[in-house]
Amino acid sequence: MNRSMIPVEEAAKEWFKDSKFAAQYEALEDEFAIAEASIKARCEKQQDKVVGDR
């Protein structure tokens, strides 16, 4: 099977044309923000640990 790659930004433009998709995406905005904050905190904690080990 030969599939071509589509950049996610290009695909998202099409997805957001669907009002149901856009509404569901917006409904999850708070959860995305929590996940982003959690990931950022973990990265910062790991970075502090690496700097402290020097």
Side-chain angles (χ1 to χ4, degrees):
M1 181 185 287
N2 186 7
R3 294 184 183 192
S4 61
M5 300 290 284
I6 300 172
V8 71
E9 294 85 1
E10 187 178 321
K13 286 179 186 177
E14 291 298 315
W15 299 335
F16 279 100
K17 289 178 183 178
D18 179 350
S19 61
K20 288 181 183 179
F21 175 88
Q24 289 297 315
Y25 183 89
E26 289 176 21
L28 294 171
E29 186 173 355
D30 289 342
E31 290 186 48
F32 289 138
I34 292 168
E36 180 180 14
S38 177
I39 293 166
K40 184 177 179 181
R42 287 183 201 164
C43 290
E44 289 172 356
K45 184 176 180 179
Q46 182 65 29
Q47 185 177 19
D48 290 345
K49 182 179 177 183
V50 170
V51 171
D53 288 344
R54 289 185 184 175

